[in-house]
């Protein structure tokens, strides 16, 4: 048996994790479980798509975030051709959890925190990617950690405002679907989802920071009001202490005079 065939064993297609242009597999490399991502047969011989998968490897190879599936290598795999090799993510997609009625408040909490953290990281690194969907969000089996498996295919100098707000729209669609299946979710989260999904981008959250504040049920407006109120209180105290209504301060000299007078 050839060395490459000995190296790769137990290769299995994962249809539920397929992406638009890629098939996704699980496999063992030298006995270690990994995941493989390769072009669908219809695109394998097209130079445009060959360049696309190579570009995706180059872009994602240096990404490092706890909620993003990490890329390890790009190599030929017997029977599949050139593949992006990633860490194994053993668990269920958010789509599977929703369809099987198993999504709960713990998943909702991680969508509102870990998914937003991953989005923030992607935007700060100016990664261009396909819309975030329940199919590309995985919850690991043992600890239920959220992982994104389709996070970008290009990198640019700056993301346009339109690209940034599209992320927020995609998040809103995911959040709205999760809320449909979590009966005890806080009511304000539905308002957050509706604002994210507003047809007019100007009426959505302008940044991931604003979205994060809304999900935490806070706002910059309330924060600034609290700061202003504190400053006004400090100014009022200073004015009062310098006024004639302030209590007289007892100095050491005054204390001595008082003692002598008493004697």
């Amino acid at each position: 048996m050839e060395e490459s065939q000995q190296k790769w064993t137990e290769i299995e297609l994962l249809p539920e994790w397929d992406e638009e242009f890629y098939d996704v597999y699980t496999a063992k490399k030298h006995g270690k479980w990994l995941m493989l991502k390769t072009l669908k047969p219809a695109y394998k011989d097209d130079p445009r798509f060959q360049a696309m998968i190579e570009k995706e490897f180059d872009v994602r190879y240096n990404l490092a975030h706890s909620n993003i599936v990490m890329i390890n290598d790009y190599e030929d795999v017997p029977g599949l051709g050139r593949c992006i090799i990633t860490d194994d993510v053993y668990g269920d997609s958010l789509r599977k959890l929703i369809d099987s009625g198993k999504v709960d408040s713990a998943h909702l909490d991680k969508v509102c925190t870990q998914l937003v953290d991953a989005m923030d990281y992607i935007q700060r690194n100016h990664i261009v990617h396909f819309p975030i969907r329940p199919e590309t969000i995985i919850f690991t089996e043992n600890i239920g950690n959220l992982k994104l498996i389709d996070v970008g295919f290009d990198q640019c100098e700056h993301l346009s405002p339109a690209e940034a707000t599209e992320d927020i729209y995609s998040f809103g669609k995911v959040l709205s679907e999760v809320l449909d299946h979590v009966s005890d979710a806080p009511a304000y989260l539905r308002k957050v989802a509706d604002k994210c999904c507003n047809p007019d981008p100007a009426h959505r959250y302008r940044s991931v920071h604003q979205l994060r504040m809304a999900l935490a049920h806070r706002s910059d407006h309330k924060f600034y009001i609290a700061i202003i109120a504190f400053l006004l209180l400090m100014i009022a105290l200073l004015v009062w202490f310098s006024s004639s209504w302030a209590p007289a301060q007892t100095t050491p000299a005054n204390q001595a005079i008082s003692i002598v007078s008493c004697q």
Side-chain angles (χ1 to χ4, degrees):
M1 186 179 293
E2 294 182 3
E3 181 182 350
S4 60
Q5 292 176 322
Q6 293 175 334
K7 177 167 64 173
W8 292 102
T9 58
E10 300 187 48
I11 299 174
E12 181 181 350
L13 179 66
L14 301 174
E16 68 173 286
W17 291 1
D18 280 0
E19 301 171 18
E20 184 175 2
F21 302 109
Y22 301 117
D23 285 331
V24 178
Y25 295 80
T26 184
K28 282 184 177 180
K29 180 182 180 181
H30 296 306
K32 178 183 178 181
W33 284 107
L34 297 169
M35 292 180 71
L36 314 176
K37 178 175 176 176
T38 188
L39 289 169
K40 290 180 179 293
Y43 307 115
K44 280 187 180 295
D45 297 326
D46 190 322
R48 296 171 300 172
F49 292 98
Q50 291 170 354
M52 182 181 73
I53 191 172
E54 290 176 7
K55 180 71 172 179
E56 179 167 342
F57 170 75
D58 290 339
V59 168
R60 290 184 56 187
Y61 185 69
N62 291 316
L63 296 183
H65 191 277
S66 60
N67 301 119
I68 293 175
V69 174
M70 303 303 300
I71 282 182
N72 300 320
D73 210 341
Y74 182 53
E75 63 178 277
D76 286 311
V77 177
L80 299 182
R82 297 290 279 174
C83 296
I84 289 177
I85 316 300
T86 76
D87 290 342
D88 180 48
V89 186
Y90 192 67
D92 293 322
S93 69
L94 179 56
R95 168 59 59 215
K96 184 174 182 179
L97 291 168
I98 290 173
D99 291 347
S100 61
K102 295 180 179 178
V103 67
D104 58 26
S105 57
H107 298 112
L108 172 62
D109 180 65
K110 288 174 182 176
V111 165
C112 293
T113 53
Q114 295 180 356
L115 180 55
V116 175
D117 288 344
M119 286 171 51
D120 187 33
Y121 180 82
I122 290 169
Q123 289 200 2
R124 284 189 285 108
N125 284 276
H126 312 139
I127 306 298
V128 181
H129 59 95
F130 295 112
I132 294 169
R133 301 173 293 121
E135 289 79 4
T136 61
I137 299 168
I138 307 299
F139 288 92
T140 58
E141 184 180 48
N142 293 326
I143 61 175
N145 192 35
L146 183 149
K147 296 275 189 178
L148 279 179
I149 62 172
D150 183 17
V151 300
F153 56 87
D154 203 354
Q155 191 169 24
C156 55
E157 289 264 340
H158 301 285
L159 289 180
S160 68
E163 289 169 326
T165 192
E166 281 303 309
D167 269 354
I168 290 172
Y169 178 82
S170 297
F171 173 83
K173 297 288 284 185
V174 170
L175 176 59
S176 182
E177 191 168 358
V178 172
L179 290 173
D180 289 341
H181 295 82
V182 179
S183 59
D184 58 346
Y188 76 89
L189 288 178
R190 180 63 68 179
K191 294 181 180 179
V192 173
D194 290 345
K195 184 168 182 175
C196 289
C197 296
N198 194 298
D200 184 354
H203 292 144
R204 299 173 196 159
Y205 297 103
R206 295 192 301 273
S207 66
V208 173
H209 171 70
Q210 277 195 351
L211 173 61
R212 198 194 303 275
M213 296 288 282
L215 290 168
H217 216 197
R218 300 195 305 268
S219 70
D220 289 337
H221 181 64
K222 292 179 181 178
F223 177 69
Y224 293 137
I225 288 176
I227 291 178
I228 292 171
F230 175 76
L231 292 175
L232 289 175
L233 176 61
M234 292 298 100
I235 292 171
L237 287 173
L238 288 173
V239 170
W240 185 72
F241 278 121
S242 62
S243 70
S244 58
W245 297 295
Q249 295 184 357
T250 303
T251 64
N254 288 336
Q255 289 176 347
I257 293 172
S258 297
I259 293 172
V260 170
S261 298
C262 291
Q263 292 175 348

